Amino acid sequence: MRGLGPIAQGLTTGADVARFGFYVQLRRILDPERPGVFHALHRADRLVPRVWRAGRGLMEDELLRCGLEPQVDRALRVQYRVAVTELALGRFTRETLEPFVRVEGREHLDSALSHGKGVVWVYPHAGAVMLMLAWLVKNGYPYTQYAARGLAPKDVAEAHNRLLGHNKWRQAVRDAREQDEDQTGGTFLSLSKPARELYRTLARNELVGIAFDGRIGNKWQPHRFLGREALLNPGAWRIAASTGAMIVPCYNTVPDVGPAVCTIGEPIPPNAPDAAERVLAFAEAQIRRSPAEYGPWLLHCRLRNTIDDHPLFTDQAEDERWRKWTTGRA
């Protein structure tokens, strides 16, 4: 377990201990070569809505604000099934991963790569994102994920101890999950690293993965998304435009029965003036068909609105501070 520094004794909740038992202890006994064990655990998903009470009302409110069916119970069940499967993330092989992930539209990805300038792989935080990543790597697509990692910075953690504070339980969970991610064979590039590594990745005709709804960055553009004004990082379309890489959108769903599904959309040229709108239109259509997968991220962002001066949706902003980050209206 990594050193925690002076805030190691931060607030500990029962939920922290429960997450440790789930993400650290249960991880040690699951074998990806025994899919039946995972499926048995998946069947316990019907119990999750009965015991999970925190945030239910907020998630329902967010889904309704987006004009989505308020599938809160299903969202909790989906989140649980994904979490169970991802406990073996770093130990999956191409063969053992097959019962858990299915990809539709692979020809769109191959078409985009045929241009030889790499692919900016763009998606929202929905469904089995890490299983998608593992599938890409195990099926021969070198992949670099560009995202924040680790616990919240010390100053932010100390200011918001209950939500983001550091303690040994949270650190152990984060360590276990990131170690598994590292073992997938993918490359993880944090936002503190030079962006030139992304350019080198695309120059090798590889994939750079960016979640368009992530909350880390220093520039934001307002876009119409799910019927609301959303603040989105323009990094994905900008790097595509500057490198000539094709943009490929995708969305991850988790059916009630069978493997998770990654649906790949048609490639979007990097110089398309409406590239962002086309990505968002694809994602919105998928979310409206299957909103439960997006419910957990809506709740995640809602819970952080009080500490985020650039919230996902401006109608949840506490003040006008978000305007200082914008690069101009889309």
Side-chain angles (χ1 to χ4, degrees):
M1 194 180 299
R2 299 171 187 168
L4 298 180
I7 55 175
Q9 301 305 314
L11 178 69
T12 296
T13 68
D16 291 330
V17 179
R19 290 189 190 99
F20 174 83
F22 182 89
Y23 286 106
V24 179
Q25 302 294 72
L26 185 57
R27 184 183 305 271
R28 295 172 178 171
I29 64 175
L30 289 177
D31 183 351
E33 295 189 359
R34 299 178 62 193
V37 176
F38 289 87
H39 295 154
L41 288 172
H42 287 170
R43 287 194 289 273
D45 67 348
R46 66 186 183 277
L47 302 176
V48 176
R50 301 180 188 178
V51 299
W52 191 288
R53 292 287 176 257
R56 291 178 61 93
L58 294 178
M59 186 192 297
E60 180 177 7
D61 183 59
E62 283 297 304
L63 289 165
L64 289 171
R65 284 172 180 260
C66 293
L68 302 172
E69 185 178 346
Q71 299 178 359
V72 176
D73 283 1
R74 186 170 185 276
L76 296 174
R77 292 168 59 197
V78 163
Q79 187 176 31
Y80 165 77
R81 292 204 303 275
V82 170
V84 167
T85 309
E86 287 183 353
L87 291 174
L89 183 68
R91 290 169 286 149
F92 279 121
T93 64
R94 179 179 178 179
E95 292 71 27
T96 58
L97 191 58
E98 187 172 338
F100 298 101
V101 186
R102 178 168 57 86
V103 170
E104 296 180 348
R106 181 176 181 173
E107 67 276 9
H108 295 318
L109 173 56
D110 292 335
S111 172
L113 287 170
S114 70
H115 291 260
K117 294 188 176 182
V119 161
V120 179
W121 179 263
V122 191
Y123 57 89
H125 283 88
V129 170
M130 296 310 299
L131 296 181
M132 167 201 78
L133 182 156
W135 185 95
L136 288 167
V137 175
K138 302 304 181 185
N139 282 272
Y141 298 98
Y143 185 98
T144 294
Q145 179 68 48
Y146 189 52
R149 301 189 88 192
L151 296 178
K154 176 183 174 181
D155 57 338
V156 177
E158 290 181 332
H160 307 280
N161 196 19
R162 175 171 290 277
L163 186 61
L164 300 175
H166 299 188
N167 60 49
K168 65 180 182 180
W169 308 101
R170 294 177 184 180
Q171 187 68 66
V173 168
R174 176 49 51 191
D175 288 349
R177 297 183 73 175
E178 290 189 0
Q179 287 167 10
D180 252 8
E181 292 169 3
D182 291 338
Q183 291 170 3
T184 61
T187 299
F188 293 85
L189 190 64
S190 70
L191 305 186
S192 62
K193 301 296 183 181
R196 62 176 176 270
E197 293 300 326
L198 301 179
Y199 289 80
R200 292 170 178 167
T201 297
L202 294 171
R204 296 192 297 267
N205 200 31
E206 297 176 0
L207 277 65
V208 166
I210 300 176
F212 67 74
D213 56 357
R215 308 320 305 148
I216 303 298
N218 53 25
K219 291 182 180 179
W220 305 91
Q221 284 183 338
H223 288 269
R224 200 67 182 167
F225 180 52
L226 295 173
R228 303 164 75 181
E229 184 176 60
L231 295 177
L232 305 178
N233 191 316
W237 2 106
R238 287 188 168 187
I239 194 172
S242 62
T243 62
M246 297 291 283
I247 301 170
V248 176
C250 74
Y251 187 72
N252 295 285
T253 53
V254 183
D256 292 331
V257 178
V261 178
C262 174
T263 301
I264 304 174
E266 294 184 2
I268 300 169
N271 58 354
D274 61 345
E277 287 70 25
R278 290 167 67 176
V279 169
L280 298 181
F282 171 85
E284 182 164 336
Q286 298 294 324
I287 291 171
R288 294 201 179 282
R289 290 191 190 99
S290 192
E293 286 80 356
Y294 204 50
W297 185 249
L298 291 174
L299 175 60
H300 173 92
C301 294
R302 176 69 172 266
L303 291 172
R304 285 155 177 77
N305 280 341
T306 58
I307 61 175
D308 187 354
D309 64 1
H310 50 276
L312 179 57
F313 295 111
T314 60
D315 60 19
Q316 286 293 328
E318 295 210 325
D319 48 45
E320 297 292 305
R321 286 178 299 161
W322 61 269
R323 295 186 183 278
K324 71 181 180 182
W325 298 105
T326 61
T327 60
R329 293 189 174 275

